Amino acid sequence: MKKPILIGITGGTGSGKSTIADALYSNFSNERITMIQQDMYYKDQSNLSMEERVKTNYDHPMAFDNDLLVEHLQKLIKGKSIEKPRYDFTVHNRAKDTTTVEPREIIIVEGILILEDERIRNLLDIKVYVDTDADIRILRRLVRDIDERGRTVESVIDQYLTMVRPMHMEFTEPTKRYADIIIPEGGHNYVAIDILMAKIRDILK
Protein backbone atom coordinates (compact mmCIF):
# COMPACT_ATOMS: atom_id res chain seq x y z
CA MET A 1 0.00 0.00 0.00
CA LYS A 2 1.44 3.38 -1.02
CA LYS A 3 1.44 6.33 1.34
CA PRO A 4 -2.09 7.68 1.75
CA ILE A 5 -3.09 11.27 0.97
CA LEU A 6 -3.88 13.21 4.13
CA ILE A 7 -6.25 16.14 3.62
CA GLY A 8 -6.70 18.56 6.51
CA ILE A 9 -9.91 20.58 6.61
CA THR A 10 -10.16 23.31 9.23
CA GLY A 11 -11.94 26.58 10.00
CA GLY A 12 -13.96 28.15 12.77
CA THR A 13 -16.89 26.50 14.48
CA GLY A 14 -19.88 26.38 12.12
CA SER A 15 -17.76 27.37 9.12
CA GLY A 16 -18.94 24.45 7.00
CA LYS A 17 -15.77 22.36 7.25
CA SER A 18 -17.76 19.24 8.14
CA THR A 19 -20.01 19.81 5.11
CA ILE A 20 -16.98 19.96 2.83
CA ALA A 21 -15.41 16.92 4.49
CA ASP A 22 -18.66 14.97 4.05
CA ALA A 23 -18.93 16.07 0.40
CA LEU A 24 -15.44 14.75 -0.32
CA TYR A 25 -16.06 11.56 1.64
CA SER A 26 -19.27 10.76 -0.22
CA ASN A 27 -17.57 11.05 -3.61
CA PHE A 28 -15.20 8.15 -3.01
CA SER A 29 -15.91 4.53 -2.14
CA ASN A 30 -15.48 3.37 1.46
CA GLU A 31 -12.57 1.22 0.31
CA ARG A 32 -10.60 4.31 -0.69
CA ILE A 33 -11.37 6.96 1.92
CA THR A 34 -11.77 7.41 5.67
CA MET A 35 -12.27 10.36 8.00
CA ILE A 36 -10.75 11.36 11.34
CA GLN A 37 -12.51 14.09 13.32
CA GLN A 38 -10.43 16.03 15.84
CA ASP A 39 -13.62 16.42 17.90
CA MET A 40 -13.31 12.76 18.85
CA TYR A 41 -9.88 13.37 20.36
CA TYR A 42 -10.84 15.56 23.28
CA LYS A 43 -9.03 14.46 26.42
CA ASP A 44 -10.57 11.89 28.74
CA GLN A 45 -12.07 13.66 31.76
CA SER A 46 -13.04 10.71 33.92
CA ASN A 47 -11.00 12.14 36.77
CA LEU A 48 -13.20 15.26 36.90
CA SER A 49 -16.67 15.79 38.35
CA MET A 50 -19.53 16.72 36.03
CA GLU A 51 -19.45 20.24 37.45
CA GLU A 52 -15.79 20.56 36.44
CA ARG A 53 -16.30 18.95 33.02
CA VAL A 54 -19.02 21.46 32.09
CA LYS A 55 -16.41 24.23 32.38
CA THR A 56 -14.18 22.64 29.72
CA ASN A 57 -12.94 25.09 27.11
CA TYR A 58 -13.36 22.93 23.99
CA ASP A 59 -11.86 25.59 21.74
CA HIS A 60 -8.45 25.70 23.42
CA PRO A 61 -5.59 23.55 22.06
CA MET A 62 -5.05 22.01 25.50
CA ALA A 63 -8.49 20.39 25.35
CA PHE A 64 -7.29 17.95 22.69
CA ASP A 65 -5.30 14.76 23.05
CA ASN A 66 -3.14 15.55 20.05
CA ASP A 67 -0.51 13.04 21.15
CA LEU A 68 -3.02 10.27 20.50
CA LEU A 69 -4.23 11.86 17.27
CA VAL A 70 -0.67 12.11 15.90
CA GLU A 71 0.01 8.51 16.94
CA HIS A 72 -3.14 7.31 15.15
CA LEU A 73 -2.37 9.25 11.97
CA GLN A 74 1.14 7.82 11.89
CA LYS A 75 -0.25 4.30 12.26
CA LEU A 76 -2.71 4.83 9.40
CA ILE A 77 0.10 6.17 7.22
CA LYS A 78 2.04 2.97 7.94
CA GLY A 79 -0.96 0.87 6.93
CA LYS A 80 -2.10 -0.10 10.42
CA SER A 81 -5.66 0.08 11.77
CA ILE A 82 -6.57 2.18 14.81
CA GLU A 83 -9.27 2.37 17.48
CA LYS A 84 -10.64 5.89 17.08
CA PRO A 85 -12.11 7.28 20.32
CA ARG A 86 -15.62 8.68 20.55
CA TYR A 87 -16.49 11.74 22.59
CA ASP A 88 -19.88 12.09 24.28
CA PHE A 89 -20.69 15.80 24.58
CA THR A 90 -23.80 15.14 26.66
CA VAL A 91 -21.58 13.97 29.56
CA HIS A 92 -18.47 15.99 28.55
CA ASN A 93 -16.26 12.94 28.48
CA ARG A 94 -14.78 10.30 26.21
CA ALA A 95 -17.10 7.35 25.64
CA LYS A 96 -16.02 3.82 26.55
CA ASP A 97 -16.57 2.43 23.05
CA THR A 98 -14.26 3.08 20.09
CA THR A 99 -14.51 2.78 16.30
CA THR A 100 -12.11 0.65 14.29
CA VAL A 101 -10.63 2.61 11.39
CA GLU A 102 -8.76 0.82 8.63
CA PRO A 103 -6.01 2.51 6.56
CA ARG A 104 -7.19 3.95 3.24
CA GLU A 105 -5.74 5.78 0.23
CA ILE A 106 -7.36 9.05 1.34
CA ILE A 107 -7.56 10.20 4.95
CA ILE A 108 -9.56 13.34 5.74
CA VAL A 109 -8.58 15.02 9.01
CA GLU A 110 -11.19 17.54 10.11
CA GLY A 111 -11.19 19.93 13.07
CA ILE A 112 -10.90 23.51 14.29
CA LEU A 113 -7.26 23.28 15.41
CA ILE A 114 -5.57 20.70 13.19
CA LEU A 115 -3.25 23.35 11.72
CA GLU A 116 -2.37 24.77 15.14
CA ASP A 117 -0.22 21.73 15.99
CA GLU A 118 2.95 21.58 13.89
CA ARG A 119 3.11 17.79 14.18
CA ILE A 120 -0.29 17.40 12.56
CA ARG A 121 0.46 20.06 9.92
CA ASN A 122 3.57 18.17 8.86
CA LEU A 123 1.57 15.00 8.24
CA LEU A 124 -0.95 16.69 5.93
CA ASP A 125 -0.50 16.71 2.15
CA ILE A 126 -3.29 19.21 1.46
CA LYS A 127 -4.35 21.84 4.00
CA VAL A 128 -7.74 23.53 3.57
CA TYR A 129 -9.11 26.46 5.57
CA VAL A 130 -12.87 27.10 5.36
CA ASP A 131 -13.51 30.82 5.81
CA THR A 132 -17.07 31.83 6.76
CA ASP A 133 -18.46 35.03 8.34
CA ALA A 134 -18.82 34.97 12.13
CA ASP A 135 -22.57 35.69 12.18
CA ILE A 136 -23.28 32.63 10.03
CA ARG A 137 -20.98 30.47 12.14
CA ILE A 138 -22.63 31.34 15.46
CA LEU A 139 -26.11 30.60 14.08
CA ARG A 140 -24.97 27.21 12.81
CA ARG A 141 -23.32 26.41 16.15
CA LEU A 142 -26.46 27.44 18.01
CA VAL A 143 -28.62 25.01 16.02
CA ARG A 144 -26.05 22.18 16.25
CA ASP A 145 -25.45 22.41 19.99
CA ILE A 146 -29.16 22.54 20.80
CA ASP A 147 -30.15 19.71 18.45
CA GLU A 148 -27.15 17.39 18.83
CA ARG A 149 -25.61 18.17 22.21
CA GLY A 150 -28.62 18.90 24.41
CA ARG A 151 -27.59 22.51 25.15
CA THR A 152 -29.77 25.52 25.96
CA VAL A 153 -29.74 28.75 23.94
CA GLU A 154 -28.36 30.69 26.91
CA SER A 155 -25.49 28.26 27.50
CA VAL A 156 -24.48 28.25 23.82
CA ILE A 157 -24.44 32.06 23.64
CA ASP A 158 -22.50 32.35 26.90
CA GLN A 159 -19.93 29.80 25.75
CA TYR A 160 -19.56 31.53 22.39
CA LEU A 161 -18.88 34.95 23.92
CA THR A 162 -16.57 33.77 26.72
CA MET A 163 -14.71 30.91 25.01
CA VAL A 164 -15.46 30.20 21.35
CA ARG A 165 -14.95 33.67 19.86
CA PRO A 166 -11.81 34.57 21.87
CA MET A 167 -10.25 31.16 21.14
CA HIS A 168 -11.10 31.44 17.45
CA MET A 169 -9.36 34.80 17.20
CA GLU A 170 -6.32 33.61 19.17
CA PHE A 171 -5.82 30.08 17.85
CA THR A 172 -7.95 29.14 14.81
CA GLU A 173 -7.97 32.28 12.65
CA PRO A 174 -4.14 32.61 12.65
CA THR A 175 -3.76 29.09 11.20
CA LYS A 176 -5.20 30.37 7.93
CA ARG A 177 -1.65 31.27 6.93
CA TYR A 178 -0.72 27.57 6.83
CA ALA A 179 -3.48 26.64 4.38
CA ASP A 180 -2.80 25.61 0.80
CA ILE A 181 -6.40 26.40 -0.13
CA ILE A 182 -8.85 28.86 1.45
CA ILE A 183 -12.52 28.19 0.72
CA PRO A 184 -14.94 31.06 1.41
CA GLU A 185 -18.61 30.39 2.21
CA GLY A 186 -18.05 26.85 3.46
CA GLY A 187 -20.08 23.98 2.09
CA HIS A 188 -21.98 26.21 -0.34
CA ASN A 189 -18.87 26.83 -2.43
CA TYR A 190 -19.45 24.01 -4.93
CA VAL A 191 -16.80 25.27 -7.35
CA ALA A 192 -14.08 24.99 -4.70
CA ILE A 193 -15.30 21.52 -3.70
CA ASP A 194 -15.20 20.35 -7.32
CA ILE A 195 -11.66 21.71 -7.75
CA LEU A 196 -10.56 19.94 -4.56
CA MET A 197 -12.08 16.65 -5.70
CA ALA A 198 -10.39 16.95 -9.09
CA LYS A 199 -7.06 17.50 -7.34
CA ILE A 200 -7.54 14.40 -5.21
CA ARG A 201 -8.44 12.27 -8.23
CA ASP A 202 -5.37 13.55 -10.03
CA ILE A 203 -3.11 12.59 -7.11
CA LEU A 204 -4.68 9.13 -6.89
CA LYS A 205 -3.82 8.43 -10.52
Side-chain angles (χ1 to χ4, degrees), residues 154-166:
E154 292 78 10
S155 70
V156 176
I157 293 174
D158 179 66
Q159 185 185 45
Y160 181 82
L161 293 176
T162 59
M163 295 183 185
V164 179
R165 188 179 185 280

Side-chain angles (χ1 to χ4, degrees), residues 54-60 138 141 151 154-168 170:
V54 171
K55 299 175 183 177
T56 300
N57 184 347
Y58 287 112
D59 296 86
H60 193 284
I138 177 55
R141 176 155 183 148
R151 304 280 303 283
E154 292 78 10
S155 70
V156 176
I157 293 174
D158 179 66
Q159 185 185 45
Y160 181 82
L161 293 176
T162 59
M163 295 183 185
V164 179
R165 188 179 185 280
M167 296 300 98
H168 174 81
E170 183 174 355

Side-chain angles (χ1 to χ4, degrees), residues 36-156:
I36 301 293
Q37 301 92 344
Q38 191 182 27
D39 272 5
M40 296 297 104
Y41 286 81
Y42 282 116
K43 291 177 179 176
D44 183 84
Q45 302 196 109
S46 300
N47 60 316
L48 301 178
S49 67
M50 176 60 82
E51 186 179 32
E52 292 173 308
R53 293 181 204 167
V54 171
K55 299 175 183 177
T56 300
N57 184 347
Y58 287 112
D59 296 86
H60 193 284
M62 292 301 293
F64 294 97
D65 188 352
N66 279 343
D67 291 341
L68 181 61
L69 177 55
V70 170
E71 177 188 329
H72 280 183
L73 292 177
Q74 290 173 335
K75 283 185 175 180
L76 289 171
I77 289 171
K78 294 176 181 177
K80 300 176 181 178
S81 62
I82 64 166
E83 290 300 319
K84 181 175 71 173
R86 185 176 68 82
Y87 200 85
D88 187 346
F89 288 94
T90 61
V91 295
H92 301 277
N93 200 14
R94 191 176 290 178
K96 294 181 179 180
D97 58 305
T98 59
T99 303
T100 302
V101 177
E102 301 292 342
R104 294 288 184 262
E105 293 175 87
I106 309 166
I107 301 171
I108 295 175
V109 186
E110 179 261 321
I112 60 171
L113 289 172
I114 57 170
L115 297 186
E116 191 273 337
D117 191 309
E118 184 180 7
R119 297 172 299 167
I120 301 174
R121 286 201 309 270
N122 291 340
L123 293 174
L124 301 173
D125 299 291
I126 301 173
K127 298 178 284 293
V128 179
Y129 188 97
V130 184
D131 199 12
T132 304
D133 290 341
D135 56 345
I136 296 175
R137 291 191 292 103
I138 177 55
L139 290 173
R140 289 175 178 169
R141 176 155 183 148
L142 189 67
V143 173
R144 182 202 68 186
D145 282 5
I146 292 172
D147 291 348
E148 300 177 15
R149 300 180 179 177
R151 304 280 303 283
T152 63
V153 173
E154 292 78 10
S155 70
V156 176

Side-chain angles (χ1 to χ4, degrees), residues 2 5 7 23-24 26-29 32 105-106 126 193-205:
K2 64 180 181 180
I5 304 166
I7 304 167
L24 295 178
S26 64
N27 273 273
F28 296 91
S29 66
R32 304 197 79 182
E105 293 175 87
I106 309 166
I126 301 173
I193 294 172
D194 287 343
I195 291 173
L196 192 52
M197 284 194 290
K199 176 62 177 177
I200 296 169
R201 292 192 183 98
D202 184 57
I203 294 174
L204 288 174
K205 290 177 182 178

